Amino acid sequence: MIRTFGFKKDSEPYFNFSLDSLNDHDLQWYWIDFDNPNESEIELLQKHFKFHPLAIEDTLFSLNKPKLDYYEGYTFFILNALKDDTLDPSEVSLFVEQNSIISFHTDSLPEIDAAWERVTGDRSHWDKGAIFVAHQIFDKIVDHFFPAVYKIEDKLDALDANLDRKFIHKLLDEVFQIRGDLLKLRRTVSSMRDLLYRILNSERLPGFKEHKMYFSDIHDHLLKLSDMIESSREITSDLRDSYLSINSNRMNTNMMVLTVITTIFIPLTFIAGIYGMNFDYMPELTWKYGYFLVLGIMTCIGVLMFLWFKGKGWFDS
């Protein structure tokens, strides 16, 4: 789908015009959004606009980190939005000229829809031009990072409380899954932060300097997101180490119990082994009370060893 919006020099908005009629309208600036385009719409991007082949290639064929390239007459941006279900990056390409902006994304993104509604729904923004549209796209994409980070923080709080009494191995699996999600977020947020830093410090973006305060605010949000992600990673490290220590302690306790049981039965097995030998002239074999005496001795040995281990604190856990 291709949607178009233009602002005429007579202060009138113009919607849904065709690309072929673009030059027929007296537009002060315009925004063309390629939203999950089909093959024929992609051909329009390649044929109608005279963008550099490298920029077109980056737009169509590969998932790139956020980047900024300067071309004659326009600036090319690649942004990374987030997919809600997987937290994988979704690429958004922007071609920003002085009086126009073309956005391209193969996924339908609520962030772009929100920016579109903000720009087209408020007349007070129509005279701000293409740079304002770019700011809105940046802003909505970055704002969409916060719910993902907050959701992870809630998961960490739930893991720490463990109200469901989950087993340690289940908790560890969830911790490592969260660490994987945080790694995805950190890559995306760090790359977007670096992109905003380049924009704020570039001398080749004169139009952006007028909106520097707004882009600086987005950069501050990305710095905050980075701090939140690093804090969550530290929490996952603490939880991981805590769960591993608990699991190791439980294994040691179980091994201690098994060791005590084995140790108690060693002398009993020894006595039983002796009297299990089938010699004809063993002295106690013919004694009337020999069986009961041996059982009593074995019981005493077991009880005394148990009390001895208990006195040493082996059963305190």
Side-chain angles (χ1 to χ4, degrees), residues 20-61:
D20 293 331
S21 64
L22 180 61
N23 296 326
D24 298 337
H25 306 287
D26 187 21
L27 298 177
Q28 184 173 343
W29 64 270
Y30 59 87
W31 177 12
I32 300 175
D33 180 46
F34 289 79
D35 182 3
N36 191 17
N38 55 37
E39 292 297 328
S40 60
E41 292 169 340
I42 291 176
E43 290 180 2
L44 290 177
L45 176 69
Q46 296 172 300
K47 295 179 180 179
H48 188 85
F49 301 99
K50 304 302 181 182
F51 295 134
H52 196 281
L54 289 178
I56 297 294
E57 181 180 353
D58 286 341
T59 299
L60 298 180
F61 298 112

Side-chain angles (χ1 to χ4, degrees), residues 227-241:
D227 291 340
M228 295 170 66
I229 290 171
E230 290 304 318
S231 177
S232 294
R233 280 180 58 84
E234 291 177 3
I235 292 175
T236 58
S237 297
D238 293 340
L239 288 175
R240 178 196 60 193
D241 294 342

Side-chain angles (χ1 to χ4, degrees), residues 45-247:
L45 176 69
Q46 296 172 300
K47 295 179 180 179
H48 188 85
F49 301 99
K50 304 302 181 182
F51 295 134
H52 196 281
L54 289 178
I56 297 294
E57 181 180 353
D58 286 341
T59 299
L60 298 180
F61 298 112
S62 61
L63 181 64
N64 299 274
K65 288 185 176 181
K67 64 182 296 186
L68 164 61
D69 288 332
Y70 304 101
Y71 293 97
E72 184 177 355
Y74 64 94
T75 309
F76 176 64
F77 298 92
I78 290 181
L79 316 181
N80 281 167
L82 280 183
K83 297 179 181 179
D84 291 331
D85 52 347
T86 62
L87 299 183
D88 290 326
S90 179
E91 187 173 312
V92 179
S93 300
L94 298 180
F95 301 85
V96 183
E97 300 178 276
Q98 182 177 0
N99 299 319
S100 67
I101 179 170
I102 290 86
S103 56
F104 184 97
H105 46 101
T106 56
D107 298 310
S108 295
L109 300 171
E111 302 94 308
I112 306 298
D113 294 336
W116 182 270
E117 293 175 3
R118 176 77 188 280
V119 172
T120 61
D122 191 343
R123 298 181 63 93
S124 63
H125 301 312
W126 291 349
D127 60 344
K128 296 181 179 179
I131 306 300
F132 174 76
V133 177
H135 166 261
Q136 287 299 307
I137 293 175
F138 272 87
D139 187 53
K140 300 304 180 185
I141 286 177
V142 172
D143 284 347
H144 197 69
F145 294 163
F146 280 96
V149 177
Y150 291 146
K151 185 177 180 180
I152 288 179
E153 289 182 341
D154 292 339
K155 287 182 179 179
L156 290 175
D157 290 339
L159 283 177
D160 190 28
N162 194 21
L163 298 178
D164 296 334
R165 302 297 181 186
K166 296 179 180 178
F167 293 110
I168 293 293
H169 67 274
K170 179 66 174 177
L171 295 174
L172 280 172
D173 288 342
E174 293 185 18
V175 167
F176 284 115
Q177 181 180 357
I178 290 176
R179 284 181 65 84
D181 291 340
L182 287 171
L183 182 60
K184 293 180 182 179
L185 282 171
R186 186 173 68 171
R187 289 198 194 102
T188 302
V189 171
S190 297
S191 299
M192 288 289 288
R193 182 190 62 206
D194 294 341
L195 174 61
L196 263 295
Y197 181 82
R198 287 192 61 191
I199 292 174
L200 293 174
N201 292 276
S202 175
E203 298 296 332
R204 301 177 62 180
L205 298 171
F208 283 79
K209 288 186 176 180
E210 301 174 4
H211 297 78
K212 184 174 182 179
M213 179 176 63
Y214 299 101
F215 284 95
S216 179
D217 181 66
I218 298 175
H219 184 256
D220 291 340
H221 288 172
L222 289 166
L223 290 176
K224 180 180 179 181
L225 283 165
S226 296
D227 291 340
M228 295 170 66
I229 290 171
E230 290 304 318
S231 177
S232 294
R233 280 180 58 84
E234 291 177 3
I235 292 175
T236 58
S237 297
D238 293 340
L239 288 175
R240 178 196 60 193
D241 294 342
S242 176
Y243 292 152
L244 288 175
S245 297
I246 293 173
N247 190 49

